[in-house]
Amino acid sequence: MYPLNRDNFDTSLKFWIERFLYAKLMGLTAHRVKDKNLFAEIIQDIQSGGRQSIDDIAAVCKKARKIGLLGINTYANPVFMFYGYCVKLGFSDMREIEATHLQEFLSIYTSNLSLATIRNYQFALTNFFEFIEKNNVLDNGASHLYSMEAVSKNHSFKQDLPEYLTQEEFAKFLNALKSYNLAQKHVNEIVKLRNQVIILMIAYSGARVSEILELNFKDVSIDGEYYLLRLRGKGNKMRIVYILKELIEDFYNEWVNVRQSFEGVNDDMPLFVNKKFNVPAQSYIYVIIENLLANIGIRKAKNGAHLLRHSFATMLYSKSKDLILVQESLGHSSVETSRIYTHFDNSKLKHAAHVISNIND
């Protein structure tokens, strides 16, 4: 247990941000982190007692992402944004923060973000205050309670349907990906091939970009006419997806041969390392996908890698009408999360139009 307040409000809030992110770093899977010494340094750097600046804390989180702890941004970005908001409000004591302030923050600072990002902010910040509740102590020996669960109940969301590609658009995108006619600086044939394999795996499996980038070489195997991918999803949950070999075999085999030529590479490393053993950032893959779509004249409200995931899920439900299959394929914790893809199935709605037309029969 730690005192709720320290020397001043700024130091107090930074202290709790550090403790929270330390806990998250320790909870994230470190199996892909090869440089254990650097990981140990990062863990030490996140424990300054609130004395370092918020920019320094952000730099530590950036280092953590670079060595493979990609999930830290889920928690870091929202608390950093909320820190700036609290500083502007001029609090002097941690007890002055109330649920209404969190609601105001979400309303003001997340209004132009996607629904998924808004929910992520809400989850991360309520989780942050739950962490403080469990670990703080006041002078009288009690703990200060924030009761931020009210934010989840009172903060309403606009339920947008996800953007997706039609079958024709999807096929057009895949053709553009395979030809890869993008004008990019510092992109040689090796980088181009790596990008193609990454995006093909996302498109044909419906996996999150983070799940593909975190694949180890040994996580991909052959099972008859399929490639079997062992993915590590949200909450460190493992799942298996299959891709028909014929869809990506030529690209994948070529990439494996190129990868094996890297001096010092081994099978325990990530699948998509470069010669310096670095893995590309998620944001980089998002930009590639956006540029490919722009090149073929496809414009959606959101054009990143998640567009491919939504397209996969939409086509899967459209062809199978199996919501459980969609849930298992996408790694959703609840079938309710997958239910949104039923909104793209217009066959029942068309049937309803015929039913109502016969009202006078």
Side-chain angles (χ1 to χ4, degrees):
M1 301 290 281
Y2 304 95
L4 181 65
N5 288 298
R6 303 182 83 78
D7 297 336
N8 54 61
F9 175 79
D10 184 66
T11 301
S12 299
L13 184 53
K14 287 188 295 184
F15 166 80
W16 284 111
I17 288 173
E18 284 188 329
R19 293 310 305 170
F20 177 65
L21 294 177
Y22 167 80
K24 295 305 177 185
L25 283 171
M26 296 304 292
L28 290 171
T29 176
H31 75 286
R32 301 193 188 283
V33 177
K34 304 306 176 185
D35 193 334
K36 305 302 182 185
N37 291 329
L38 184 54
F39 183 41
E41 289 178 15
I42 288 169
I43 293 302
Q44 291 301 313
D45 288 344
I46 205 73
Q47 301 182 76
S48 77
R51 293 185 298 275
Q52 61 183 330
S53 71
I54 203 70
D55 289 337
D56 290 335
I57 301 173
V60 174
C61 291
K62 187 175 181 180
K63 285 169 61 177
R65 286 193 77 258
K66 283 187 175 180
I67 66 169
L69 296 164
L70 304 180
I72 193 61
N73 266 13
T74 299
Y75 305 98
N77 290 341
V79 295
F80 292 155
M81 287 284 289
F82 189 68
Y83 166 84
Y85 177 68
C86 289
V87 169
K88 289 180 181 178
L89 290 180
F91 294 130
S92 59
D93 189 301
M94 287 292 295
R95 288 171 293 188
E96 295 177 15
I97 303 175
E98 298 178 355
T100 54
H101 296 121
L102 184 49
Q103 289 175 322
E104 289 171 0
F105 168 80
L106 290 169
S107 297
I108 296 170
Y109 287 89
T110 67
S111 59
N112 294 324
L113 301 178
S114 68
L115 178 61
T117 304
I118 295 173
R119 284 177 170 159
N120 175 63
Y121 269 62
Q122 183 192 64
F123 168 77
L125 289 168
T126 53
N127 197 237
F128 174 54
F129 284 102
E130 287 172 1
F131 174 83
I132 299 176
E133 284 186 345
K134 292 176 182 177
N135 292 279
N136 85 86
V137 62
L138 301 173
D139 292 340
N140 62 4
S143 296
H144 181 70
L145 301 180
Y146 285 98
S147 301
M148 293 297 185
E149 64 271 8
V151 174
S152 300
K153 297 177 182 177
N154 298 334
H155 194 79
S156 61
F157 294 103
K158 180 179 65 175
Q159 185 67 23
D160 291 332
L161 295 179
E163 292 279 358
Y164 68 101
L165 299 174
T166 64
Q167 279 191 244
E168 294 75 15
E169 290 173 331
F170 193 74
K172 190 175 180 182
F173 171 80
L174 291 174
N175 288 333
L177 173 62
K178 291 171 183 177
S179 61
Y180 205 100
N181 294 322
L182 289 179
Q184 292 177 269
K185 293 181 180 179
H186 314 299
V187 174
N188 54 33
E189 289 303 309
I190 292 177
V191 173
K192 171 183 169 181
L193 175 62
R194 180 204 63 191
N195 294 347
Q196 287 173 310
V197 179
I198 290 171
I199 299 172
L200 282 170
M201 283 187 169
I202 294 169
Y204 284 126
S205 71
R208 302 175 180 92
V209 61
S210 60
E211 293 171 337
I212 297 300
L213 293 178
E214 287 186 9
L215 280 171
N216 269 357
F217 181 79
K218 291 182 177 179
D219 289 333
V220 180
S221 58
I222 295 175
D223 184 357
E225 59 181 321
Y226 306 95
Y227 284 115
L228 186 155
L229 279 58
R230 298 170 184 84
L231 303 178
R232 192 176 300 271
K234 290 183 177 179
N236 204 25
K237 294 177 182 176
M238 298 296 298
R239 79 177 190 281
I240 289 173
V241 298
Y242 291 89
I243 300 175
L244 276 169
K245 282 176 60 179
E246 64 187 52
L247 297 176
I248 65 169
E249 186 171 22
D250 292 343
F251 289 91
Y252 180 75
N253 286 342
E254 187 177 354
W255 168 249
V256 169
N257 290 333
V258 169
R259 182 185 180 279
Q260 288 175 341
S261 70
F262 297 165
E263 185 177 353
V265 76
N266 62 63
D267 292 354
D268 292 320
M269 293 180 178
L271 174 60
F272 295 110
V273 292
N274 60 18
K275 291 182 179 180
K276 295 181 179 179
F277 308 137
N278 294 321
V279 176
Q282 293 183 48
S283 57
Y284 173 76
I285 301 302
Y286 269 72
V287 170
I288 299 299
I289 293 171
E290 288 177 347
N291 289 342
L292 285 167
L293 288 166
N295 266 16
I296 55 177
I298 295 178
R299 295 285 190 277
K300 303 288 181 179
K302 294 165 188 154
N303 296 312
H306 239 56
L307 177 67
L308 300 183
R309 179 171 164 85
H310 291 318
S311 302
F312 173 90
T314 302
M315 285 186 277
L316 179 60
Y317 181 77
S318 175
K319 292 179 181 298
S320 70
K321 300 296 189 290
D322 188 338
L323 206 54
I324 301 300
L325 177 61
V326 175
Q327 177 197 0
E328 293 178 350
S329 297
L330 269 64
H332 288 157
S333 58
S334 168
V335 72
E336 292 305 314
T337 308
S338 310
R339 195 173 296 281
I340 193 170
Y341 295 106
T342 65
H343 292 288
F344 302 115
D345 181 16
N346 294 326
S347 58
K348 292 182 179 178
L349 297 178
K350 291 176 180 177
H351 175 67
H354 287 282
V355 169
I356 201 69
S357 71
N358 297 323
I359 195 168
N360 293 321
D361 291 352

